[in-house]
Amino acid sequence: MNAWRKIGENSSEAVILAVDFDSAARPEARFPAFAARVRPAAELWLTAQPDNAEREFLTAQTYLEFWAKRPPGRVEALVGFCVGCVFLPALADQIERIQGSRPALLLIDPERVVTSSILRDFSNTVGGMAVLTDAEREAAISEARSLCDSAGDDFASAATGVVKLYEATAGIAFDRLGLDDETSEDLMGLFRSYVSYLLAAHTLIPKPTRAAGVALTSAQFRSGAMHATSERSFPVGTESMLDDERVAEAARAFFQGVLR
């Protein structure tokens, strides 16, 4: 499987890489919408996920090695969304060793991964399974909360427990929907891959001197943009950050400064 997917065409040899867990199933705006709005003077490529993340948890180094198979051209900037921002400093280190110059970093609503992150995402996913009864959804979410509370700061333990709970809960939902085994497994694999991505990000602790970047944050942003050299907030929900013209204008200005 290719590590990158082109989402923005340009004749320039300059390249911008975007890091995100992209899925058509998620409610938030995605990087293809961002690419269409910003149209930087560079090719824009988006991360894919390793196939084996659908079956097992992968290390952060495995992701970085997978993404090292980067597109041809000179990488001038990295842009991340939410958890994707956590990978940017280490990916920038890797690219700097290869090409001799360090890409600039643009952080869009950067988020560190904590145990409550997986609880929130599990709750959102299961909460949308209308084929389950209210009582079944509430029981699954309550059990996930107990698993995360018991795990404390042990994210790997929380991840393992929540994935098993998702498989059991989603299995009931998929059976009721009459999904075949292949489709069910594809959907299970998507969730496993997402949790693997979260776990890998959780293990990365960027060094302040290497992690500096410009942050664009939403109205819901509360945690403070770690190591950002500057931060600009927008009256926009997290779900719309990648498809808002004001955010796109700020990103466009950032890329123009980097690519000049």
Side-chain angles (χ1 to χ4, degrees):
M1 181 178 183
N2 292 330
W4 300 91
R5 174 167 63 95
K6 187 187 291 188
I7 57 172
E9 296 280 355
N10 195 277
S11 58
S12 169
E13 293 184 359
V15 171
I16 297 168
L17 302 181
V19 179
D20 188 21
F21 190 94
D22 188 60
S23 168
R26 82 180 202 191
E28 295 88 358
R30 298 159 57 207
F31 266 110
F34 177 86
R37 283 192 179 274
V38 178
R39 298 189 181 279
E43 286 191 343
L44 184 57
W45 293 75
L46 176 63
T47 45
Q49 303 298 315
D51 285 339
N52 51 344
E54 296 181 358
R55 298 180 292 277
E56 60 182 323
F57 292 155
L58 306 181
T59 66
Q61 188 58 37
T62 300
Y63 282 90
L64 293 169
E65 289 172 359
F66 179 63
W67 293 332
K69 308 179 191 78
R70 60 191 179 83
R74 189 168 193 81
V75 181
E76 300 290 357
L78 305 178
V79 53
F81 176 66
C82 195
V83 172
C85 296
V86 177
F87 291 97
L88 297 194
L91 185 57
D93 287 345
Q94 182 171 270
I95 291 168
E96 185 176 18
R97 287 193 294 270
I98 295 170
Q99 69 180 24
S101 63
R102 188 175 182 80
L105 307 185
L106 180 63
L107 318 172
I108 300 180
D109 241 24
E111 179 183 323
R112 291 289 295 165
V113 181
V114 292
T115 306
S116 59
S117 303
I118 194 171
L119 175 60
R120 176 201 61 206
D121 295 329
F122 176 88
S123 299
N124 289 342
T125 302
V126 171
M129 293 179 178
V131 71
L132 300 177
T133 66
D134 290 346
E136 287 170 331
R137 290 195 297 271
E138 290 169 6
I141 292 169
S142 177
E143 186 173 349
R145 184 176 296 107
S146 295
L147 284 169
C148 291
D149 288 345
S150 298
D153 294 331
D154 187 348
F155 190 88
S157 175
T160 299
V162 168
V163 165
K164 289 180 179 178
L165 179 59
Y166 175 83
E167 290 171 344
T169 306
I172 294 170
F174 297 161
D175 283 346
R176 289 181 187 170
L177 289 170
L179 300 185
D180 60 53
D181 290 345
E182 183 177 356
T183 302
S184 295
E185 181 52 36
D186 285 345
L187 294 172
M188 296 281 195
L190 179 64
F191 188 78
R192 292 188 207 107
S193 181
Y194 177 63
V195 175
S196 175
Y197 174 82
L198 293 182
L199 179 57
H202 178 75
T203 67
L204 288 172
I205 303 176
K207 298 176 181 178
T209 56
R210 305 293 289 171
V214 171
L216 307 179
T217 59
S218 71
Q220 298 161 302
F221 192 76
R222 295 288 182 270
S223 60
M226 183 180 290
H227 313 316
T229 55
S230 65
E231 180 180 344
R232 182 177 170 187
S233 183
F234 297 84
V236 178
T238 298
E239 71 283 352
S240 301
M241 284 291 286
L242 294 181
D243 194 19
D244 182 87
E245 185 54 37
R246 292 161 293 188
V247 177
E249 183 179 356
R252 197 177 300 118
F254 172 84
F255 292 136
Q256 286 173 347
V258 169
L259 299 169
R260 64 182 177 212

